[in-house]
Amino acid sequence: MNRRKFLRNSSLTGLSLAAVAAAGCGQSGGSKGTDTTAAATGVAAGTVAPTEFALNEATIDVLQQKMQQGIYTSRSITELYLKRIDQVDKAGPGLHAVIEINPDALSIADQMDKERKAGTLRGPMHGIPVLVKDNIDTGDKMMTTAGALALVGHRAAQDAFIIAQLRKAGAVLLGKTNLSEWANFRSTRSTSGWSSRGRQTKCPYILDRNPSGSSAGSGSAASANLCTVAIGTETDGSVVSPSSVNGLVGIKPTIGLLSRSGIIPISATQDTAGPMARTVRDAAILLGALTGVDEKDPITKGSAGHVPSDYTKFLDLRALQGKRIGVEKSYMKGHEGVVALYNAAIAVLKGQGAVVVEVELMKDINPLGKDELIVLQYEFKDGLNKYLAAAGAAGAAAGGPGGGGVPKSLADVIAFNKQHADTAMPYFQQETLETSQALGGLDSKEYKAALRKSTSARGYIDRMMKERQLDAICSPTNGLACCIDLINGDYDTGFSFSSPAAMAGYPHITVPMGTVHGLPVGFSFIAGPLTEPTLLGMAYCFEQATMKRVAPSFVTDVLM
């Protein structure tokens, strides 16, 4: 759903789509999607065209093969991505997707090359460059700030659990990605993809469109081939929405499949990290590298014994055959372009042997929005206070702006923003931070009642799947990317299917289903807890039957 409604009207929505250009969307009279001249792309004459790149659309398997053959090394691959970031993210189109480069990236790559030369391979992620969202702790020279000026200078004392897992798998931590500040939980009038530290991230398909939030940088970067794969985080829509808008495969796992320790929180009930990649296979590989039981996040104990060693073994070209798939009926009306793609996707399901059943899940889920917002506000205050207290206790502060160090509480963050309003809040305020701060503790009757109602989404999904004998429920992931409006904030584009799985804590996978006016739209698969193997199989079958991923063309705006 659109977080604009979520926060502005206190009715649930997931992370919003927003658009990218402070100057006003679609007003420069540029080209639609096929013109890649300097004028159309906004790239200065004489610079490298952003569509020209040696590793364009390269998959994990391809890179592993090239390294095995001696054509590339992890170092040379990392160097190519670093150069790509300079040319496309910092210069050229200026995506602003990468908020910080890891100064240790090349040394990590060198170590992986040394191990490969010695005959040691850690697995499919060995030597593969990954970008990580800037609300995930890395115990290195990079900061973890959630995009907020208030946290500039904060360097985590140790890796988040999933980052430790990623290092064990042999991945190269290339850098951190920009995001909607505080994972888009700051204001009722926010613009997705904007942070006071990283500024505005752009959509690589059409530069005056928003890459969506809150994992905007991860979505834009992975789509623009600034890395092989990326990691985002989601509370409601923050992995699947930017994946959809940026033509990616995104996985929002079952809550508890991936540890949340070391990730700046919103909600202990709904938070999770998740893979963002250009193919289902790459997303499945990255998912497997991140799993594991973490003593610091007790909810991960529930996944013990249910986590496959290799998710790629479930990628089956016949996975949809004989499956009963519910399709969300309410989204069969709306923007004609999205509806046409939806109807075509449903036809693909049938063509692959699935039985399609019309369902209306959203009519049961939409009324739970107000309760979800209450839960998130209570849990944000509680979780952020604990995170900041632990960061201070670990001596992780390196001194923020003004020498004050890392804030010790949400109240300190609010005070910092007021003191630095001209730079921290130039376009929108911090109403959501303030309303969260005004709430009590998790022993509140209001919180407990809201939690019971919001998590009742599980019952709605379970009952529908049992009664209709469904293997999954599908829908458009969300609507088309809208224009960035830093003055008025995000706006709704008519479709959003993030909330059912988000509130239930169930898995959600989005796969590209096509483009409208050059803008990608995703197709969602959701099901019950720990059904990632089943969903990955169906998503792969759909992907291979359609092949709708299109590399971005970096045009300036939609044809007027």
Side-chain angles (χ1 to χ4, degrees):
M1 300 173 121
N2 182 290
R3 180 159 290 194
R4 192 72 298 99
K5 287 182 178 179
F6 181 24
L7 297 177
R8 181 176 288 162
N9 301 329
S10 297
S11 66
L12 191 139
T13 57
L15 288 207
S16 55
L17 305 172
V20 185
C25 183
Q27 298 302 309
S28 61
S31 176
K32 178 181 176 183
T34 57
D35 186 356
T36 56
T37 62
T41 61
V43 180
T47 60
V48 176
T51 53
E52 297 176 4
F53 180 48
L55 302 182
N56 217 40
E57 301 295 285
T59 64
I60 291 172
D61 288 342
V62 166
L63 293 180
Q64 290 295 353
Q65 183 181 36
K66 298 290 187 183
M67 286 189 281
Q68 185 65 29
Q69 294 170 343
I71 297 172
Y72 288 122
T73 62
S74 180
R75 183 183 180 92
S76 67
I77 290 170
T78 302
E79 287 175 335
L80 282 168
Y81 280 125
L82 290 173
K83 185 177 181 181
R84 172 77 168 175
I85 291 169
D86 283 340
Q87 293 175 335
V88 175
D89 194 66
K90 307 308 177 189
L95 295 179
H96 303 295
V98 180
I99 204 168
E100 185 171 2
I101 292 294
N102 184 5
D104 297 325
L106 290 176
S107 63
I108 297 172
D110 286 340
Q111 178 60 35
M112 294 304 104
D113 286 335
K114 183 178 179 180
E115 292 183 14
R116 182 184 294 272
K117 188 175 182 179
T120 299
L121 288 178
R122 303 190 186 192
M125 289 300 299
H126 189 108
I128 300 296
V130 181
L131 284 170
V132 179
K133 189 176 177 180
D134 182 41
N135 61 347
I136 304 174
D137 286 348
T138 55
D140 53 22
K141 298 171 186 174
M142 293 189 290
M143 293 183 282
T144 303
T145 69
L149 289 181
L151 289 189
V152 167
H154 167 47
R155 291 178 176 84
Q158 61 184 25
D159 287 335
F161 181 86
I162 61 168
I163 298 302
Q165 296 294 89
L166 195 62
R167 290 190 198 271
K168 290 177 184 177
V172 176
L173 270 66
L174 191 61
K176 295 279 188 84
T177 57
N178 196 19
L179 67 158
S180 309
E181 187 171 318
W182 295 112
N184 216 5
F185 209 69
R186 200 191 92 179
S187 173
T188 59
R189 207 183 68 242
S190 63
T191 299
S192 292
W194 186 93
S195 73
S196 56
R197 181 186 172 204
R199 315 311 283 180
Q200 183 64 51
T201 304
K202 300 176 184 177
C203 176
Y205 289 87
I206 300 178
L207 299 175
D208 64 0
R209 295 277 161 165
N210 196 281
S212 188
S214 66
S215 303
S218 295
S220 179
S223 187
N225 287 271
L226 306 186
C227 57
T228 313
V229 290
I231 299 175
T233 66
E234 172 161 331
T235 303
D236 188 330
S238 291
V239 165
V240 295
S241 180
S243 293
S244 172
V245 166
N246 289 285
L248 297 174
V249 175
I251 302 176
K252 196 287 289 187
T254 302
I255 299 301
L257 186 64
L258 303 186
S259 167
R260 288 87 53 83
S261 67
I263 301 177
I264 297 175
I266 291 180
S267 167
T269 300
Q270 294 184 197
D271 286 353
T272 182
M276 302 172 72
R278 294 182 292 273
T279 68
V280 172
R281 182 173 176 84
D282 280 1
I285 291 171
L286 181 55
L287 179 65
L290 300 176
T291 59
V293 175
D294 177 14
E295 292 182 358
K296 293 183 179 180
D297 189 359
I299 197 171
T300 61
K301 294 179 181 178
S303 67
H306 300 284
V307 180
S309 58
D310 178 11
Y311 280 99
T312 64
K313 66 184 180 182
F314 301 104
L315 306 184
D316 183 359
L317 291 174
R318 299 185 298 173
L320 284 167
Q321 190 167 356
K323 296 294 193 300
R324 287 179 59 86
I325 308 295
V327 293
E328 176 58 38
K329 184 178 179 180
S330 66
Y331 290 156
M332 292 178 177
K333 296 180 180 179
H335 190 287
E336 65 279 3
V338 178
V339 172
L341 292 180
Y342 188 26
N343 288 332
I346 292 171
V348 170
L349 297 179
K350 294 177 180 178
Q352 294 300 308
V355 176
V356 172
V357 181
E358 291 186 5
V359 298
E360 292 185 87
L361 178 61
M362 294 308 298
K363 70 177 183 179
D364 294 321
I365 299 299
N366 283 332
L368 305 178
K370 293 181 179 179
D371 299 295
E372 185 195 19
L373 179 56
I374 291 170
V375 170
L376 301 192
Q377 288 175 320
Y378 272 97
E379 293 186 350
F380 176 67
K381 177 183 178 181
D382 178 76
L384 184 61
N385 283 339
K386 289 176 179 175
Y387 176 90
L388 294 174
V406 173
K408 297 179 177 61
S409 66
L410 174 57
D412 288 348
V413 171
I414 293 170
F416 175 94
N417 288 341
K418 289 180 178 178
Q419 292 166 7
H420 303 84
D422 57 336
T423 52
M425 302 190 295
Y427 300 114
F428 49 86
Q429 302 300 302
Q430 56 178 346
E431 304 93 338
T432 305
L433 300 186
E434 292 171 349
T435 53
S436 298
Q437 174 61 24
L439 297 173
L442 300 187
D443 57 350
S444 161
K445 291 183 179 180
E446 180 186 41
Y447 165 72
K448 292 179 180 179
L451 182 63
R452 285 193 297 271
K453 291 180 181 178
S454 67
T455 54
S456 68
R458 298 167 189 164
Y460 287 118
I461 295 173
D462 292 347
R463 185 162 51 253
M464 177 172 287
M465 294 191 69
K466 182 178 180 180
E467 291 177 354
R468 308 300 293 273
Q469 297 180 311
L470 303 176
D471 295 288
I473 302 173
C474 291
S475 168
T477 306
N478 48 239
L480 299 168
C482 59
C483 295
I484 278 196
D485 184 345
L486 290 170
I487 297 173
N488 297 303
D490 293 345
Y491 59 91
D492 186 13
T493 58
F495 300 86
S496 180
F497 195 59
S498 64
S499 295
M503 283 190 279
Y506 289 174
H508 182 168
I509 300 178
T510 180
V511 181
M513 72 170 179
T515 60
V516 178
H517 300 301
L519 294 170
V521 184
F523 186 61
S524 288
F525 294 81
I526 72 170
L530 297 170
T531 56
E532 280 82 359
T534 300
L535 293 181
L536 279 166
M538 291 188 283
Y540 180 76
C541 180
F542 178 85
E543 173 197 54
Q544 295 300 303
T546 57
M547 301 301 288
K548 292 296 185 178
R549 158 74 186 172
V550 177
S553 51
F554 304 90
V555 299
T556 54
D557 55 40
V558 176
L559 180 65
M560 295 297 291

